[in-house]
Structure formats: structure tokens, C-alpha cells
Amino acid sequence: MTVEVITPREVPLGGPRAMNVRRTLPTKQRTLIGAWCFADHYGPDDVSQSGGMDVPPHPHTGLQTVSWLFSGEIEHRDSIGSHAFVLPGELNLMTAGRGISHSEVSMPHTRILHGMQLWVALPGSARFTAPGFQHYVPEPLSIDDATVRVFLGSLAGDTSPISTFTPLLGAEIVIDAGASLELTVDESFEHGIIVDTGTVDVQDSTLERAELGYVAAGSTSLLLRNAGQDEARMLLLGGPPFGEQVIMWWNFMGREHEDIEAYRAAWQAGISHADGGQFGRVEGYVSKDGTRDFRLPAPELPNTRLTPRA
């Protein structure tokens, strides 16, 4: 088994008070792991220093967003009327489908903000589906010297009730100091292990904090070792190879350059419309500096034609 190590790059998260995140998907090395198409790791950030998260209403198409926190609390509002809070150990999954907009703001009482923001590509058969929102609190499973929380798919005899449009695996794993964990996995899945704290040995490769280890389909088990003196925490993601080419630009996912042009034009036009157009309106958003009813404008498209990637 070969483990491909992907080192994160630091990028600013959009918004008037940008916070930096560590991104491992997409990269030049890899666009997708199963249908997982985006992975940002952030924190632990002292909110008094960083300003926390303040992402104004912005659009999505053709994907699902997966929010997972280790500490802190984030308020979520979207244009289908969902108003929810992202809490540690609880899954919030939003389906964009044909179009949705939402805002994300860390709560005033949050002192340390620390988590993962993930996206899942919708297959061609579902990318125009109706937008939606789901919430789930997985029960922790004790397996030898590890704790596992399965928030999507099935692992270690546990199955999440959350519905997805392709087979997926998503789980948080915490391994005690000096311990190891061997997991039986679906051999039709490719897998990614993103380290949050500590270092993790996957087979014969060592993953440092915020690095992603990619394992191609064909493995029936994964051996994870924590040789450190403190517990190690990671997310395990998986799914069968996606099998479709996609274009992901800004917050949109499509198949052709013209898709992205149309989504951008619809968002920009909806900014000044009372009903928000295709992406609707997010009611109740107030920025940390008190600004109301502001929506994040789309950046300019590049001068070159956007091309799909596998």
C-alpha cells in the first residue's frame, strides 16, 4: 500500500475579516477523494486575536458542505430558512443542489475556534437537486485504545443516518498515546486521513499535523499508529472514485465553463433583488462589525477558459 502525502497550503477564508485556513483539497496533486472535493483545516485560533469566523452570505451549487468542529461554536443561516449551530462532535450537512446561499459566524462566547470545513461533489444525476439541510450527533465508539465518531457512511459496525448522493465515509478518530488502530474498510473506496493533532503513521508513512494521507482504492484495512506521547486526532474520509470531471471555481461546482459563468451572473444579479434570485436570501445575518444585509460579491472570472478536472 502506497500513501501519498499532501502538504496543506495556507489560504485566507473569504469575508471582511479573513481568517487563515490550511487547505489539502483540491491541490495540484489531487482534486477529489471519492466525492470529497474540498478540505480546510483551521485553528485552534484565539478568537480575541484572529477575530474568529465571519463569512457573509455566499452561494453554492452542485455540492454539499460538511461542517465539523473540535472546539468553539458557529452560527449557520441559509436561504431555505435553516438556522442552526455547529458544535463540537456534531455534523451539519448542507446540500446546495441547484443553488443555496448561507452565512457562517463564530459565536461571541467562542474563545478558541478549531475545526474542519469539507465539501462533497454531487454527481451529475443530483447536482440540480433541491437544497436541504441535515444535522446529526454521532455516538462515540470505543475501539481498543481509540474513540471513533462516524458522521457519514459506515465504519466499525456503525452507520450514520445522513443521506448522501454517492457512497461516502466520514469519521473522527482519536487514538491514545502509543496506541494503534486497525480498521476494516471498503476496498472499493479511496481514503484520505487528515491529521488534526499529533502525528499519525499510516502504514509506513508519517503524517504531521494538517497533512493529508491518500490511499488508493484496493485496501481492505487501514493501520493507524500514534507513536507520540499525546493522543492523536484525525478525520478519515472515503468513497469510491468519483468518475466524473468537474469544474470548481469560487463556491460553485459545474461541468462546463458556461455553468460557472451562469452561476456567477445569477449570484451577482440576485445581490440587488429582494428575493435573491436563484440563491435566495439569508435572513438575520449580522456581521461582527454590525453590518446587516451584506452579501459577498463574486470575484471576477479569469481571462482563460475554465477546464474540467478529474
Side-chain angles (χ1 to χ4, degrees):
M1 176 194 298
T2 301
V3 179
E4 176 186 331
V5 179
I6 298 174
T7 301
R9 67 187 193 279
E10 192 165 285
V11 298
L13 192 67
R17 298 182 69 181
M19 59 180 281
N20 287 327
V21 300
R22 295 169 290 277
R23 183 165 297 165
T24 46
L25 278 181
T27 65
K28 291 181 179 179
Q29 290 171 257
R30 188 154 301 281
T31 303
L32 297 132
I33 297 177
W36 296 99
C37 61
F38 182 93
D40 275 355
H41 176 255
Y42 56 89
D45 287 334
D46 182 339
V47 172
S48 67
Q49 300 297 317
S50 68
M53 182 180 292
D54 186 0
V55 185
H58 59 281
H60 288 291
T61 58
L63 54 82
Q64 293 178 300
T65 65
V66 175
S67 299
W68 188 261
L69 276 181
F70 304 118
S71 65
E73 184 174 352
I74 296 171
E75 182 181 41
H76 163 97
R77 295 178 184 268
D78 64 41
S79 56
I80 61 171
S82 309
H83 181 208
F85 297 92
V86 185
L87 295 166
E90 300 186 7
L91 171 72
N92 277 8
L93 182 146
M94 183 184 76
T95 299
R98 60 178 177 259
I100 198 171
S101 57
H102 73 134
S103 62
E104 301 160 286
V105 181
S106 53
M107 296 297 290
H109 55 263
T110 292
R111 294 293 174 262
I112 301 296
L113 191 60
H114 184 190
M116 292 286 305
Q117 182 64 52
L118 308 159
W119 294 356
V120 176
L122 293 176
S125 59
R127 66 191 186 103
F128 299 115
T129 193
F133 183 85
Q134 300 175 78
H135 175 79
Y136 175 56
V137 184
E139 289 291 332
L141 305 173
S142 294
I143 306 172
D144 299 327
D145 296 315
T147 301
V148 178
R149 288 177 171 85
V150 182
F151 53 83
L152 285 176
S154 297
L155 184 70
D158 191 27
T159 298
S160 165
I162 295 294
S163 59
T164 58
F165 294 87
T166 57
L168 288 174
L169 171 62
E172 178 191 282
I173 300 171
V174 179
I175 302 177
D176 291 346
S180 62
L181 175 66
E182 186 166 16
L183 293 167
T184 299
V185 294
D186 190 326
E187 64 179 333
S188 70
F189 281 25
E190 48 189 2
H191 292 89
I193 301 97
I194 303 177
V195 177
D196 171 51
T197 59
T199 60
V200 179
D201 294 332
V202 183
Q203 303 307 117
D204 296 325
S205 297
T206 299
L207 302 179
E208 303 291 339
R209 176 175 177 265
E211 288 185 332
L212 184 154
Y214 168 78
V215 179
S219 298
T220 58
S221 66
L222 289 175
L223 180 60
L224 309 173
R225 300 187 188 91
N226 174 15
Q229 298 182 347
D230 298 299
E231 68 178 25
R233 181 167 56 196
M234 70 216 75
L235 291 193
L236 173 61
L237 310 177
F242 191 59
E244 298 182 31
Q245 290 192 325
V246 298
I247 293 178
M248 188 164 62
W249 178 84
W250 195 44
N251 300 309
F252 303 129
M253 178 161 289
R255 299 298 186 271
E256 305 290 342
H257 178 89
E258 288 75 16
D259 294 340
I260 305 302
E261 281 186 323
Y263 297 148
R264 183 188 182 281
W267 172 250
Q268 292 298 99
I271 287 178
S272 60
H273 290 179
D275 65 357
Q278 175 181 344
F279 297 96
R281 295 185 66 84
V282 177
E283 301 295 340
Y285 165 77
V286 180
S287 73
K288 290 184 179 294
D289 62 8
T291 303
R292 297 175 181 268
D293 200 32
F294 172 78
R295 291 197 281 179
L296 202 61
E300 293 295 327
L301 279 164
N303 292 326
T304 57
R305 184 177 178 83
L306 300 170
T307 57
R309 297 179 65 184

